[in-house]
Amino acid sequence: MQKLLIKGKRELIGKISISGSKNASLPILAASILADEVKLKNVPLVKDIFTMITLLKFIGLEINISKKKNSLIIQNKNKNIKTIAPYKLVKTMRAGVLVLGSLLTKYKKAKVSLPGGCAIGTRPVDLHLFALKKLGAKIKIKGGYIIAEAKRGLRGTVINFPSISVGATENALLAAFKAKGQTTLKNCAIEPEILDLISFLNKLGGKIKISGRKILINSSEMIKKKISHKVIFDRIEFGTYLIAGVLIGKKITIDKIETKFVKNEINILNRIGANIDVKKNSITIGKNKKLKRLDITTKPYPGFPTDLQAQFMVLMTQVNGKSQIKENIFENRFMHVPELRRMGAKIEIKNKTAFIEGPTKLNGAEVMATDLRASVSLVLAGLIAENRTIINRIYHLDRGYEFLERKLKKCKANIKRV
Ligand code: UD1
């Protein structure tokens, strides 16, 4: 099994270009089922994207990948489509459940495996099913599968989500695309990745408008045959390298971003006194000394993202004073804490809140990655720790970080995969 070896305390200097967003690419790939031909640019070629490609190919789509250009051409010209998402694919990547909305819209039926739990929590799909039922889909659960049908097509309606979910908002958008009449989605997730999905669907001929947490969808019959779309940047990858820069950067520039989507992260860094220079499409981080403590609560966008919680926790081990993180989105998302403690971090957990003492010297150790974002927090810890850190189970990292070692090595980090 592959491991990462990191020798810490090497100052980072250079430029890191951010890849396209995994979490925007996945729903857009699911939405590609609706079109005849789609060209997608700026797709990060990470494990989760390949799993989605395998799923779409299983369904019957043809996909050509240009690795050099990070682009995909997806064609749906097959007459023998399988409207099924099998267990073996959905269990490794929950976003597989997003084909449900597209299959119902285009083929009026779908059989999609229930994703089950995952390391960070139970992660049910009740909100996805709630929205689809409201749109008129008949849904049964049998043998671990969601069996959905809408023989006469779906019908527009008002859907008021009892709580905010990214995936459920995406599935509802895909299902409501052609639903007869008008659909109003209330209390929606409004992450930048959802805005990117809406922009993609509108290029396909959709009539979708967003205002605050409300999305209005007018039925669209007109699906453009061929479209091209460039996926938005990965704001979580950006936030990860931003922290690397603040922790151990001599001078790091991060580009290929849109800073308007990451105001929260930038505001926090300004508040703690970080040395950052923010431009519209890039940010430069200089050397930092004596940063102030900080408190964070994870919330749906525009609140602070749960996907950056573990990385900011590593930053908290280096600032002055006791910081706090309250995790409000997932119930089991502090799995990086025991591993960080093994490296010398002083962290206590009480219910949903972690209390982190800083500044604390970290020492390299052999640690284990437990999920995607927890793993990358161990990489950050390894970069600032004395001596050598060995990270096991790095397949988690490969699910979502494109060219991680290459990007860090280019900035003089001592990191290698063995
Ligand atoms: C997406 C992101 C993930 C991110 C999360 C929250 C993708 C591929 N993944 O996941 O990286 O951490 O948003 O920003 O985009 N919930 C229910 N019932 C449901 C659906 C969700 O109770 O039917 C709960 C979840 O358990 C969780 C909360 O709602 O506690 C938010 O989850 P959700 O926004 O749906 O996350 P995902 O779309 O799975």
Side-chain angles (χ1 to χ4, degrees), residues 23 26 123-128 165-167 306-307 329-330 333:
N23 286 356
L26 291 170
R123 300 185 83 175
V125 289
D126 55 319
L127 297 169
H128 299 233
S165 155
V166 172
T306 171
D307 285 353
I329 310 286
F330 292 110
R333 214 172 192 184

Side-chain angles (χ1 to χ4, degrees), residues 55 58 83-91 97 100 110-116 125 129 139-148:
L55 173 56
F58 174 89
T83 52
I84 300 171
Y87 174 63
K88 66 172 191 290
L89 293 175
V90 182
K91 84 164 189 239
V97 85
L100 190 53
K111 182 178 170 186
V112 173
S113 171
L114 278 165
V125 289
L129 304 187
I139 294 182
K140 281 190 296 194
I141 306 288
K142 207 174 160 191
Y145 277 79
I146 305 158
I147 300 172

Side-chain angles (χ1 to χ4, degrees), residues 304-305 386:
F304 184 85
E386 307 268 355

